[in-house]
Amino acid sequence: MKIFSIVFGVLIAICGFSCIFTPLITFLEAGYFLVILLFVYGTVGIIRSVSNKTYGIDFVFDILSIILGIVILVVPGLKLMTDGMLIYLMAFWFMLQGVINIFQAFKQKKITKGMGWVWTLTLGILGVLVGIYSVVHPMLLALTFGILVGVYFIESGISMIVMAQYIQGDEE
């Protein structure tokens, strides 16, 4: 499970750099990026929850991520509509993911030794702040969408890699 989380974390971070270097293409194809993110994030999260036998709010959020990805991909015209609404969807997604990272950081702090939880907490707070700023300034988000999505992908990848260390702590 540790290697699986690290590999997906690295792949998501690489996708993040791709988004940063091609922001216009990222915005134009954002619906597909969202579907990929939802599937990967949901799948890795479900596998992590099942392997750790923890079925809390993050497990429910992972299932909802996969369901939302399927709905966007299958319903005709929804991807086009999603591209238009994606600005607000991503803003709220940033906030929600940030809150979940904050909860995971405090859970990680209680269970493990070391300061790895601080990194998860910092990334969670950053996600909430980016989400709030994006809701307040949606046009700025539209102009910088590719960069923000890239930063989010990099943050998610780093978070998965950090959480892999948390998984290792459970096995010892």
Side-chain angles (χ1 to χ4, degrees):
M1 181 63 204
K2 177 183 176 184
I3 301 232
F4 186 69
S5 290
I6 290 172
V7 168
F8 271 110
V10 169
L11 289 175
I12 289 174
I14 290 170
C15 288
F17 284 108
S18 174
C19 292
I20 287 173
F21 294 122
T22 58
L24 180 60
I25 293 171
T26 300
F27 183 71
L28 295 175
E29 298 299 327
Y32 292 117
F33 277 107
L34 177 64
V35 169
I36 291 168
L37 175 65
L38 290 169
F39 283 136
V40 170
Y41 178 83
T43 302
V44 170
I46 288 171
I47 291 170
R48 182 177 49 234
S49 293
V50 169
S51 69
N52 291 336
K53 294 181 175 43
T54 56
Y55 304 102
I57 190 165
D58 49 340
F59 180 70
V60 173
F61 188 69
D62 296 332
I63 292 170
L64 291 175
S65 297
I66 291 174
I67 291 170
L68 182 61
I70 291 169
V71 168
I72 291 171
L73 198 59
V74 173
V75 175
L78 190 57
K79 190 221 170 267
L80 181 60
M81 189 172 78
T82 301
D83 288 341
M85 296 179 60
L86 197 56
I87 292 170
Y88 289 105
L89 283 171
M90 288 308 293
F92 288 111
W93 187 267
F94 288 145
M95 286 188 285
L96 189 56
Q97 180 60 41
V99 169
I100 288 173
N101 278 352
I102 291 168
F103 282 122
Q104 285 179 337
F106 286 116
K107 187 165 91 172
Q108 184 180 3
K109 179 183 177 185
K110 292 178 186 177
I111 295 173
T112 62
K113 296 177 182 174
M115 298 297 290
W117 67 274
V118 174
W119 182 251
T120 305
L121 177 66
T122 303
L123 293 173
I125 292 169
L126 179 64
V128 170
L129 293 175
V130 167
I132 291 170
Y133 190 79
S134 299
V135 168
V136 174
H137 300 287
M139 290 307 296
L140 184 60
L141 179 59
L143 296 173
T144 60
F145 184 82
I147 295 168
L148 288 174
V149 169
V151 168
Y152 177 73
F153 274 32
I154 293 168
E155 180 269 333
S156 293
I158 291 171
S159 182
M160 284 184 175
I161 293 168
V162 168
M163 290 306 288
Q165 299 305 317
Y166 168 69
I167 292 169
Q168 180 186 21
D170 275 351
E171 293 173 352
E172 294 180 343

